[in-house]
Amino acid sequence: MGLRTRRLLSAKVRSILLITTLGNRPPYNFFTLKVVGILLAGGKSKRFGSDKRFAVYGGKTFIERCLETLTRCFDEVYISAERGFKYDNFPIIEDYENHMGPLFAIMGVMERVKSEGFVFTTVDMPFVSDKTLKFLKDCLESYPLVCLDVDGNLSFPIGIRGECLFRLKGWVLNGEKSLFKILQGEGVKAIKVNKNLEFMNINTPEDLRAIL
């Protein structure tokens, strides 16, 4: 190996180390997964008292805020919602059965959308940032399952590689229906963050009033 080649390789190694150090980014990977963004928006909004997808903060509805963020981060964005729901021109992945919870919505999306990876966020977290979604997308290059750990509690947004669908189904067939218990059992990579507005779930009118 010549001197020039060794120098080029050395420069490449330094750039890799720099990338993995700055911003606490995941380990470098030479391959890029196709990752799509999914908005889970099929809940009943029981505690909110009205359809929280259309609750307004700062002149924008929750669903509008979420989709604007997703479209800045992903080339393909889908909405997972109950049968019959429509919103602008976004493709809708309808629940097999309405209001069965996030685990079944996630599996339904993964069965019908062809992608190597998925980042799921929820409509009741309208303040999640581009930075967080892009970080989770990058994490899927190195980890098959990744989510947030908000002050000790596993939380959305979450990233899942397509290859995990079979294992999710296995848990369900064995009687487990709690998404985060399954993620714990699968050894999810949990990214620790402190609770702030970005990671709040707005589930009740009181939650919304508290931030107005």
Side-chain angles (χ1 to χ4, degrees):
M1 184 184 296
L3 178 61
R4 183 171 182 275
T5 302
R6 287 199 299 270
R7 285 176 176 170
L8 287 172
L9 287 175
S10 178
K12 181 67 172 178
V13 169
R14 287 198 302 273
S15 68
I16 290 171
L17 290 174
L18 183 63
I19 288 171
T20 57
T21 301
L22 292 177
N24 194 30
R25 293 176 67 84
Y28 186 86
N29 193 309
F30 285 98
F31 302 99
T32 300
L33 294 175
K34 176 190 174 183
V35 181
V36 299
I38 310 293
L39 178 62
L40 297 177
K44 290 183 178 180
S45 300
K46 271 188 175 180
R47 286 182 287 170
F48 202 81
S50 59
D51 193 337
K52 62 185 170 186
R53 293 175 292 202
F54 299 103
V56 176
Y57 180 89
K60 294 181 180 180
T61 62
F62 283 12
I63 192 169
E64 183 181 3
R65 284 180 170 276
C66 293
L67 291 170
E68 284 182 354
T69 305
L70 283 164
T71 53
R72 289 194 297 266
C73 300
F74 301 94
D75 293 333
E76 293 182 32
V77 174
Y78 299 81
I79 300 172
S80 170
E82 73 276 11
R83 294 176 184 177
F85 182 75
K86 305 292 182 186
Y87 188 81
D88 286 353
N89 294 317
F90 285 93
I92 308 294
I93 308 301
E94 294 185 340
D95 296 338
Y96 286 132
E97 295 290 337
N98 289 346
H99 313 306
M100 288 290 288
L103 174 59
F104 290 92
I106 285 169
M107 292 194 301
V109 168
M110 294 176 70
E111 285 179 337
R112 286 175 280 175
V113 176
K114 292 183 178 180
S115 184
E116 296 165 297
F118 304 81
V119 172
F120 294 89
T121 189
T122 62
V123 77
D124 58 8
M125 296 182 71
F127 308 110
V128 170
S129 68
D130 298 29
K131 180 180 178 181
T132 295
L133 294 181
K134 289 176 180 178
F135 180 78
L136 292 173
K137 177 182 177 182
D138 290 344
C139 282
L140 287 176
E141 299 285 347
S142 303
Y143 308 106
L145 291 164
V146 60
C147 72
L148 299 184
D149 176 339
V150 183
D151 290 346
N153 298 304
L154 298 186
S155 173
F156 284 96
I158 65 175
I160 306 178
R161 284 190 197 163
E163 66 200 51
C164 296
L165 176 59
F166 179 78
R167 300 207 301 275
L168 294 180
K169 288 182 175 180
W171 282 88
V172 172
L173 289 172
N174 285 321
E176 184 56 73
K177 297 181 181 179
S178 168
L179 172 63
F180 290 108
K181 284 184 180 179
I182 292 173
L183 295 184
Q184 284 182 314
E186 286 289 324
V188 64
K189 175 66 176 178
I191 309 300
K192 294 182 181 295
V193 297
N194 296 321
K195 189 169 185 176
N196 57 46
L197 180 62
E198 179 179 358
F199 307 119
M200 281 185 63
N201 294 91
I202 311 298
N203 289 314
T204 67
E206 291 73 25
D207 292 338
L208 181 57
R209 284 196 291 270
I211 63 172
L212 291 176

